[in-house]
Amino acid sequence: GRDMLEFRIDRDAGMTGKELPEHTRASGSGMPRGIWALGLCSMFMDISSELVHSLLPVFLSTVLGASMLTIGLLEGIAEATAAIAKVFSGSLSDWLGHRKPLAVLGYGMAALTKPVFPLAGSVAWVFLARFVDRIGKGIRGAPRDALVADLVPAERRGAAYGLRQSLDSVGAFLGPALAIVAMGWFADDVRSVMWVAVLPAFIAVAVLVGGVKEPPSAGASARKVRPDLLRGWRGLPRAYWRVAAFGTVFTLARFSEAFLILKAQQTGLALQWIPLVLIVMNVVYALSAYPVGWLSDRLAPRRLLLAGCIVLVAADVVLALASDTSMAFVGAALWGLHMGLTQGLLSR
């Protein structure tokens, strides 16, 4: 902003006494340190969460004796909770004029649930942990993304969001990979492996608390015009609500990723290698997301969404008919492709 401009003018004139504000100082890559901190925070939390999620369905079914119906209800309620919390957290961060406290709260709630999973003696405890974890996810998402926008000028936001998402995707890959290694190390003891997820979760919170400084100008400008908590929703255009309605119906047509894991187990995949299903899905998702984004600038987004729907149907058919491990992996890859075709488009 203004400080950046003044710094450049002073530098060009040979004056070196003026420094950039701390929150806008760039790292060696040219991206502000706060953006790297937000990305690393996302990465460590995803390592933790994906490690747990890659084993949780198996833990519920084999250790705690939960039925498929119970697992489906748990996952559905958990994801609905996250979606509802997202609706309120964005408006609340605008109303408060601060982003970081809500982001810390959301990540902190997720971190505090991680020890509950290996300690859980019943499905009820897992349900409670998942419920609180998803509330935390819903709370942190919008304020975190707003922080990214506050930390960089408008012309660099695309790169900033891309960096954060890339590090998040790295975590989504490393979490299941770490689960595979830990399952081998602990001889398929799922409870012991879940303890491994505790450390990266608390590292994520520490990185956020110590590595991100909220720009004071962002909070000050938000407090000058404090919006009504509900007025922002009322002013959204009809096109937005049409997209939201499509996204809702589209989500109803999808089953939980937990069933990808259970399907892999059903086809005979060894317990240690079950997290590989999520690795395949996330690799295809990550590799397809950017090309689809590039295509969406050149083709009608509706065509790509239609293609995503077709791929989703294909994934459902392949997984329903899969009788061996190779077909389960094909279904997981198609599932990742449908995510790459649709998620970015629904967010833009």
Side-chain angles (χ1 to χ4, degrees):
R2 182 178 177 183
D3 290 331
M4 177 75 80
L5 179 60
E6 290 175 357
F7 172 80
R8 288 174 177 168
I9 293 172
D10 291 344
R11 181 194 59 191
D12 292 341
M15 299 172 64
T16 58
K18 192 173 183 64
E19 295 183 353
L20 287 170
E22 182 179 350
H23 66 272
T24 60
R25 291 178 194 164
S27 63
S29 66
M31 192 63 67
R33 295 170 188 171
I35 300 297
W36 278 101
L38 287 170
L40 290 171
C41 174
S42 294
M43 184 186 77
F44 279 110
M45 187 56 74
D46 243 32
I47 290 173
S48 176
S49 296
E50 294 299 328
L51 188 156
V52 170
H53 296 165
S54 66
L55 297 172
L56 189 60
V58 175
F59 178 70
L60 283 165
S61 62
T62 61
V63 178
L64 299 181
S67 65
M68 287 282 196
L69 177 61
T70 300
I71 294 172
L73 286 172
L74 189 153
E75 290 295 313
I77 293 172
E79 294 307 319
T81 300
I84 293 170
K86 286 179 183 178
V87 172
F88 293 99
S89 66
S91 295
L92 184 58
S93 73
D94 288 338
W95 188 80
L96 291 174
H98 290 288
R99 320 295 191 188
K100 184 176 175 180
L102 284 174
V104 171
L105 174 63
Y107 278 104
M109 291 174 68
L112 289 173
T113 65
K114 293 304 184 285
V116 178
F117 292 106
L119 291 172
S122 67
V123 174
W125 278 102
V126 174
F127 177 85
L128 177 63
R130 281 285 281 157
F131 184 76
V132 175
D133 174 71
R134 294 297 90 180
I135 290 177
K137 180 178 176 62
I139 287 174
R140 69 182 182 249
R144 179 201 60 212
D145 291 344
L147 260 177
V148 173
D150 291 340
L151 286 167
V152 292
E155 63 272 14
R156 302 199 64 197
R157 284 177 189 165
Y161 281 115
L163 174 62
R164 194 211 64 79
Q165 186 60 53
S166 295
L167 290 171
D168 185 271
S169 299
V170 169
F173 172 86
L174 291 179
L178 183 57
I180 291 172
V181 174
M183 286 291 282
W185 183 268
F186 290 106
D188 291 346
D189 184 348
V190 179
R191 287 188 188 272
S192 296
V193 173
M194 284 186 175
W195 279 111
V196 178
V198 174
L199 181 59
F202 281 92
I203 289 176
V205 177
V207 169
L208 176 60
V209 172
V212 178
K213 183 177 180 182
E214 185 170 4
S217 58
S221 61
R223 286 190 297 271
K224 285 180 182 177
V225 183
R226 177 164 284 180
D228 185 286
L229 279 174
L230 299 177
R231 189 172 299 164
W233 307 339
R234 298 191 192 111
L236 292 172
R238 290 183 180 180
Y240 167 83
W241 291 111
R242 285 196 295 268
V243 172
F246 173 81
T248 301
V249 174
F250 185 72
T251 302
L252 289 173
R254 295 167 48 192
F255 52 78
S256 168
E257 293 170 8
F259 291 103
L260 287 176
I261 297 166
L262 293 174
K263 185 63 178 182
Q265 182 189 27
Q266 189 182 67
T267 57
L269 187 63
L271 191 60
Q272 178 185 353
W273 297 102
I274 282 177
L276 191 59
V277 173
L278 290 188
I279 292 177
V280 170
M281 187 205 76
N282 281 307
V283 166
V284 175
Y285 181 10
L287 290 176
S288 61
Y290 178 77
V292 170
W294 182 85
L295 282 173
S296 69
D297 290 331
R298 293 156 178 80
L299 299 176
R302 291 183 181 180
R303 293 183 182 180
L304 294 172
L305 281 175
L306 177 60
C309 292
I310 294 171
V311 173
L312 173 60
V313 172
D316 288 345
V317 171
V318 169
L319 289 167
L321 299 177
S323 58
D324 56 46
T325 301
S326 60
M327 289 299 291
F329 282 124
V330 171
L334 288 171
W335 191 267
L337 179 58
H338 114 263
M339 293 286 285
L341 283 165
T342 59
Q343 297 309 293
L345 295 176
L346 291 173
S347 299
R348 57 179 288 174

